[in-house]
Amino acid sequence: MTSILVTGANGQLGQELQRAVPQGVALIALGRQELDIADASAVSRKVAEVRPDWIINAAAYTAVDKAESDEEMAMAINVTGAENLASAALEFGARLAHVSTDFVFDGCKSRPYQPDDAMNPAGVYGETKQKGEQAVREVMGDDALIVRTAWVYSAHGNNFVKTMLRLMSEREELGVIEDQVGTPTWAAELAKVLYLAIDKSLAGTYHWTDTGVASWYDFAVAIHELGRSMGLLPRDVTINPISTEAYPTPAARPAYSVLSKEAMRQATGYTGMHWRAALNNMMKELENG
Ligand SMILES: NC(=O)c1ccc[n+]([C@@H]2O[C@H](COP(=O)([O-])OP(=O)(O)OC[C@H]3O[C@@H](n4cnc5c(N)ncnc54)[C@H](OP(=O)(O)O)[C@@H]3O)[C@@H](O)[C@H]2O)c1
């Protein structure tokens, strides 16, 4: 048996990791109440007690806009929390799979970001995630496994899909950003790939999202289409493409967020699922309650 300790068990990824446990894995999934990763001594005590083979860090401060005015808390969770887990993993002989984000990049490229592309975050959240990665690498050296992902959603938790379904059931018309592109990623697929990566004992920095590319507008149109066909939306809604400029937010977002999955595909032998098929699967879960 491989024992895996999961932090942030009540988040989107944390929940999907619990639903997808492969055979031969014993999972200890801890929510924030059971383990606050920002508390170094609590982390050390828990890892000493559980003695996991691996830790998956699915805990994070993920409120991108709020982070702009709440830097201290974002740093405590995304940097100190990551460092605490790395230190405890090193001390007690565990491996660490740490999850990071496309927001470590500035989004100025027009070809998929490679894992070794230079990081240049545009906002506080991205900076804290960059520093968290660096802390993990400094503590664990070549042993660290870091998996960056993007545009994550699942049936559990708050995300773009659920926000769109709510707005589409309340409004007749809505504007959605057309000039930011990336890849929607179902947390269930990310969970699956993290287990594959652990099974292969991978180390280093990798990317994982679903396959294909979309703008937020494309994503919204697909949500509307599937929502209507599944009976999740009572009537048609007009969705208008808008520019980033027309929808100002406290944090800047990368215009181009597509991540190259090639290294992870080669290492795990798994190609991935097109974002649209993954969205269909997630929305079927919503349909079935
Ligand atoms: N969501 C995205 O679009 C996205 C995109 C790129 C990368 N990522 C990365 O993917 C990973 C998983 O994200 P997600 O979407 O699953 O996030 P999520 O749904 O926001 O879940 C994060 C979980 O971490 C918990 N948490 C916060 N502070 C904690 C602490 N000090 N100790 C323990 N747990 C704590 C949160 O608990 P509370 O709810 O109680 O605060 C929450 O349950 C994160 O590393 C994130 O940075 C996410």
Side-chain angles (χ1 to χ4, degrees):
M1 284 301 257
T2 304
S3 66
I4 303 179
L5 188 157
V6 170
T7 64
N10 299 321
Q12 302 192 86
L13 176 59
Q15 294 273 323
E16 296 297 342
L17 283 164
Q18 292 173 75
R19 298 201 321 158
V21 189
Q23 277 198 339
V25 167
L27 203 71
I28 303 98
L30 304 174
R32 190 181 193 152
Q33 306 304 322
E34 293 121 340
L35 181 62
D36 175 356
I37 64 165
D39 180 342
S41 58
V43 169
S44 177
R45 274 198 312 277
K46 187 54 81 178
V47 176
E49 177 197 321
V50 174
R51 295 288 177 137
D53 299 307
W54 279 84
I55 299 169
I56 302 178
N57 183 23
Y61 184 108
T62 55
V64 174
D65 288 320
K66 203 169 154 218
E68 293 295 311
S69 54
D70 193 17
E71 188 168 352
E72 209 174 313
M73 183 60 84
M75 289 280 283
I77 297 166
N78 292 347
V79 187
T80 311
E83 189 176 8
N84 291 341
L85 290 167
S87 300
L90 188 70
E91 186 179 355
F92 298 104
R95 297 283 312 277
L96 174 64
H98 176 68
V99 182
S100 192
T101 171
D102 57 318
F103 275 61
V104 299
F105 299 121
D106 58 20
C108 294
K109 289 200 193 306
S110 49
R111 53 105 178 122
Y113 279 89
Q114 299 294 332
D116 61 358
D117 276 331
M119 293 187 272
N120 184 30
V124 170
Y125 167 73
E127 268 172 43
T128 64
K129 294 296 286 186
Q130 176 191 22
K131 289 184 175 141
E133 286 190 15
Q134 285 164 343
V136 167
R137 284 190 199 98
E138 270 164 35
V139 174
M140 305 212 70
D142 293 342
D143 259 2
L145 171 61
I146 294 171
V147 180
R148 298 192 191 113
T149 187
W151 295 30
V152 179
Y153 64 88
S154 85
H156 317 275
N158 297 317
N159 52 61
F160 185 80
V161 180
K162 290 169 86 176
T163 302
M164 281 297 122
L165 286 172
R166 178 174 53 77
L167 293 176
M168 286 170 188
S169 60
E170 288 168 4
R171 298 187 191 171
E172 284 175 6
E173 203 166 335
L174 128 127
V176 183
I177 290 174
E178 182 191 38
D179 54 359
Q180 289 172 25
V181 296
T183 311
T185 302
W186 188 25
E189 283 289 292
L190 176 61
K192 172 177 172 165
V193 165
L194 284 169
Y195 285 128
L196 290 174
I198 286 174
D199 186 54
K200 299 280 184 198
S201 209
L202 296 190
T205 304
Y206 293 84
H207 290 164
W208 191 261
T209 65
D210 290 334
T211 67
V213 174
S215 67
W216 291 110
Y217 169 73
D218 295 324
F219 194 11
V221 168
I223 293 164
H224 179 258
E225 204 176 302
L226 289 167
R228 287 292 288 138
S229 72
M230 291 180 187
L232 293 168
L233 293 170
R235 59 192 151 64
D236 282 340
V237 177
T238 304
I239 305 166
N240 299 311
I242 62 169
S243 69
T244 299
E245 269 174 25
Y247 188 75
T249 52
R253 277 142 170 90
Y256 183 86
S257 262
V258 183
L259 302 177
S260 169
K261 276 78 70 180
E262 211 36 54
M264 187 65 107
R265 286 188 186 133
Q266 296 277 339
T268 60
Y270 182 56
T271 309
M273 190 185 284
H274 190 267
W275 68 265
R276 184 79 211 212
L279 176 65
N280 187 58
N281 289 350
M282 178 274 202
M283 289 182 63
K284 272 195 186 139
E285 284 184 7
L286 294 179
E287 184 187 16
N288 297 329

